[in-house]
Amino acid sequence: MNILSMMIRAARPSRIKDMRAVAKPFWIPKGYDGLTFFGHIITHNLQDAEAFNRSFNAIKNHEMIHLYQARSTHNSWLCFYWKYFVFWLKASLGALVIRLKSRGKQRVTLPRNAGYILNPFEIEAYRYMHDLHYLDDKENGTNEWRRYAKMPLKERQLYYK
């Protein structure tokens, strides 16, 4: 299945009960186990995809949280990815400004991938990925990411550590 067909055939987030995993090894950066893409979980290899499809573990829960976040962004994948990109860009640029302002002063310990780690969607997903019952009562989506989006980067960084 190619990128365009996955996007075109994607069901609205509210119509998806369980995301199926698909192996697309070149799509995922090193160091990441899975990636949510229009209602699918993209994995490195077929064995990982089969493991995702067989059982419900913390990593699959992390990706399922992204599905529920998409439900809370007007039940739209495009809206979810747009907001994700904007949050990523703000966190990346904010981290760069913080690093530049602190040159020669106290050492700043912002992560290299601050756009990802300090993204409100990722903060919520990482915070609750081990709580396998987090999504039980959230049929219409999760909203905690909205609280993190209002926080300054330095405050979000507390959730990263």
Side-chain angles (χ1 to χ4, degrees):
M1 198 181 307
N2 65 34
I3 295 172
L4 193 56
S5 69
M6 287 175 87
M7 291 169 62
I8 291 171
R9 287 203 240 151
R12 292 181 85 60
S14 63
R15 294 189 178 179
I16 300 171
K17 299 296 177 214
D18 184 30
M19 290 195 294
R20 304 287 300 158
V22 193
K24 301 279 186 194
F26 300 110
W27 286 26
I28 303 178
K30 290 180 182 175
Y32 298 94
D33 295 317
L35 180 135
T36 299
F37 188 75
F38 286 89
H40 294 84
I41 299 172
I42 309 300
T43 64
H44 288 286
N45 55 51
L46 196 53
Q47 293 81 9
D48 290 347
E50 289 171 357
F52 271 107
N53 292 331
R54 248 191 334 266
S55 66
F56 192 81
N57 58 24
I59 298 168
K60 183 166 185 177
N61 192 42
H62 175 100
E63 300 305 329
M64 292 295 291
I65 290 170
H66 290 315
L67 167 67
Y68 281 68
Q69 290 167 338
R71 289 179 182 180
S72 69
T73 55
H74 305 292
N75 197 27
S76 164
W77 286 112
L78 292 176
C79 189
F80 170 73
Y81 288 121
W82 175 252
K83 284 181 181 273
Y84 191 101
F85 172 72
V86 169
F87 289 141
W88 176 87
L89 189 61
K90 284 181 178 179
S92 296
L93 293 175
L96 179 63
V97 167
I98 290 169
R99 282 191 197 100
L100 291 174
K101 283 183 176 179
S102 68
R103 281 169 113 181
K105 299 177 188 173
Q106 177 185 354
R107 183 167 170 146
V108 176
T109 57
L110 282 169
R112 205 171 226 175
N113 57 348
Y116 174 77
I117 293 296
L118 301 178
N119 188 314
F121 290 123
E122 293 300 339
I123 293 172
E124 180 182 23
Y126 275 110
R127 185 155 189 220
Y128 295 105
M129 70 188 278
H130 295 288
D131 180 357
L132 301 183
H133 298 288
Y134 177 64
L135 299 173
D136 289 350
D137 62 344
K138 297 184 175 47
E139 190 64 33
N140 295 322
T142 63
N143 287 303
E144 192 159 330
W145 61 269
R146 295 176 197 275
R147 185 168 60 96
Y148 302 124
K150 293 176 184 174
M151 292 179 182
L153 287 181
K154 290 187 179 195
E155 194 174 335
R156 284 188 216 168
Q157 195 176 355
L158 298 173
Y159 289 94
Y160 166 68
K161 294 180 179 183

